[in-house]
Amino acid sequence: MPTSPPIKAARGVRDILPAERAGYAVVERAAQEVARRFGYQEVELPIIEPVELIERGLGSDSDAGGKELYRLEPHGDSDGDAPARLVLRPEGTAGMVRAYFQGGLNQGPQPVRLFTLGPMFRHDKPQHLRYRQFYQFDVEVIGDPSPAYDVEVIELTWGWIEGMGIGHVSLELNSIGDFNCRPQYLRLLQDYYRPLKDRLHSDCQRRLEQNPLRLLDCKDEQCQPFKAAAPRITDHLCTACAAAFEKVKSLLDAAGLEYRLNPYLVRGLDYYTRTVFELQHQSLGGAQNSLGGGGRYDALAAALGFPDTPGVGFAGGIDRVAYMLQHELGSIKAAPAAHVLVLPMTEDLEQAAAQVGRVCRSAAPTAVDYSARSLRAKMRAADRSGARWAVIMNSEEADRRVAQLRDLLSGDQREVAWDALPSAITKGGGED
Ligand code: HAM
């Protein structure tokens, strides 16, 4: 008898079970294919990173790099080094830039095009499509400042979403300048908002002094009326940033990619300079409508202590994209656990059934039912499993190395020699 309540998953994280995993697999395969088509190479990076990498990269004032960070208890090593302060990565860009330098990729031909797929962790308020462990498709081009790479990344990500047939997505575009022109603009923004301070909601009152750019992407009702008259950063870009933004727009036009200029798009991470963009889905609610986003981060490498090196990239939310695929197109069915089920009628047939299982696996995914249930119960389970074939075995037939092959679709059944099972399964409709 259980003595304590059953243990459940931690709040805000979820199991992705077979019915849903099939959709994730489609999204991941599409990501790998589009990235390879554009000449990007796949990497795997650690899920744990030093806290400084994230705090200095994303900014400890940002949500993802500050209050939402999962900090690990420091563990010392036997060599007496001070215990490392580690976190679960909240995103992939800072780690990718670290790996680029640490692995010497900065020494080879530039730029370097990389991508990765994997879990990220943010201690955010759990909501629909906002999880504490979620999955990203992360794409980065490191080592060249040309705006043409901004557009390449946008074209790649658009191709990913469009290639899966997901519609109702808008490409939102903005430039947030760089460290030459942004400080002056932020002062203008503060001058505009200061007289309104008492009418802003509490988070925005704090942002006004600490991170004024974030005033622009506040979703709170109370703050909306003031946005329209706020100064726009695109009216205050320095010459170099303005020229880069013009180039991005003209290359997007030439690529036939439609975009919406969105002066309120500022993104939540501190490392961005110049181009920022997001793919927003029109049917997803407010804060969860972003299927992915990215931008240029020319000052990130230096902030992490590496030589000044430009970069641009994007991360797509796999959970959200898989959700859209399943709920909008409803097209993805989980594959049956096995296509062939081997059903020994008695327990003494274990070894023979295992052997028949091995033979059938050369033709189709095969599982053996070793349970002590009756054949009737095994057949019922086989019918419900979605398998196409049952291989029914009794001792007398096993001695002759034959079995009954039953087509679970038509109900037809016939005796087949073990060695002939793969071809019978394949001919009769092997794997779908
Ligand atoms: P981000 O906007 O923080 O950017 O995240 C990118 C995408 O990850 C979001 O658009 C969303 O689809 C998904 N996402 C973020 N948080 C959650 C969550 N809690 N639950 C489910 N999905 C989520 C970045 O992470 C940057 N590193 C992107 C980038 C790459 N910029 C340059 N290079």
Side-chain angles (χ1 to χ4, degrees), residues 91 93 122 131 136 140 267 271-272 290-292 313-315 317:
E91 59 100 59
T93 310
R122 297 182 192 175
Y131 309 118
Q136 279 189 346
E140 313 289 351
R267 314 264 308 127
Y271 51 58
Y272 290 111
S290 171
L291 295 183
F314 161 88

Side-chain angles (χ1 to χ4, degrees), residues 45-201:
L45 301 179
I47 285 167
I48 51 175
E49 290 282 7
V51 65
E52 296 81 11
L53 180 88
I54 304 301
E55 285 182 343
R56 276 161 57 188
L58 281 61
S60 49
D61 275 348
S62 70
D63 293 340
K67 65 176 185 210
E68 292 174 3
L69 262 191
Y70 275 97
R71 292 163 196 275
L72 302 182
E73 208 172 291
H75 290 277
D77 284 315
S78 53
D79 55 16
D81 272 3
R85 293 193 308 137
L86 302 173
V87 295
L88 297 180
R89 64 180 183 190
E91 59 100 59
T93 310
M96 199 78 107
V97 170
R98 178 197 53 65
Y100 162 89
F101 286 103
Q102 200 171 336
L105 300 180
N106 59 325
Q107 309 290 339
Q110 302 298 305
V112 176
R113 294 175 167 90
L114 302 170
F115 76 96
T116 194
L117 293 157
M120 309 293 162
F121 304 84
R122 297 182 192 175
H123 191 267
D124 202 351
K125 194 169 144 223
Q127 293 166 59
H128 177 54
L129 296 177
R130 183 170 294 277
Y131 309 118
R132 290 180 172 175
Q133 174 173 335
F134 57 98
Y135 295 82
Q136 279 189 346
F137 165 39
D138 186 66
V139 171
E140 313 289 351
V141 185
I142 309 176
D144 196 294
S146 168
Y149 293 110
D150 306 23
V151 176
E152 176 181 294
V153 168
I154 294 174
E155 192 172 344
L156 185 162
T157 60
W158 189 260
W160 177 50
I161 296 291
E162 200 187 33
M164 285 180 286
I166 298 176
H168 310 292
V169 178
S170 72
L171 166 60
E172 307 284 309
L173 182 73
N174 195 16
S175 169
I176 55 168
D178 66 7
F179 297 98
N180 291 319
C181 49
R182 200 186 307 154
Q184 286 159 21
Y185 166 74
L186 293 181
R187 279 195 290 279
L188 283 178
L189 197 62
Q190 284 173 318
D191 290 347
Y192 168 80
Y193 270 107
R194 277 209 184 100
L196 304 168
K197 185 167 179 179
D198 294 343
R199 294 155 75 188
L200 300 176
H201 88 290

Side-chain angles (χ1 to χ4, degrees), residues 33-47:
E33 276 168 20
V34 75
R36 293 205 182 106
R37 243 188 351 261
F38 277 76
Y40 288 60
Q41 292 180 296
E42 186 163 8
V43 294
E44 293 290 344
L45 301 179
I47 285 167

Side-chain angles (χ1 to χ4, degrees), residues 332-390:
I332 301 148
K333 279 227 240 66
H339 205 71
V340 179
L341 285 175
V342 179
L343 311 181
M345 288 171 69
T346 48
E347 278 176 64
D348 60 313
L349 285 172
E350 263 171 359
Q351 206 179 315
Q355 176 57 22
V356 167
R358 269 172 228 125
V359 170
C360 292
R361 275 181 205 116
S362 67
T366 300
V368 181
D369 185 341
Y370 292 111
S371 68
R373 305 181 272 194
S374 69
L375 180 64
R376 245 171 87 92
K378 286 182 187 185
M379 282 298 292
R380 247 196 326 269
D383 275 328
R384 287 175 47 199
S385 74
R388 170 72 196 272
W389 301 101

Side-chain angles (χ1 to χ4, degrees), residues 20-30 32:
E20 236 185 310
R21 187 67 189 84
Y24 276 59
V26 169
V27 173
E28 288 164 0
R29 257 199 315 276
Q32 283 167 324

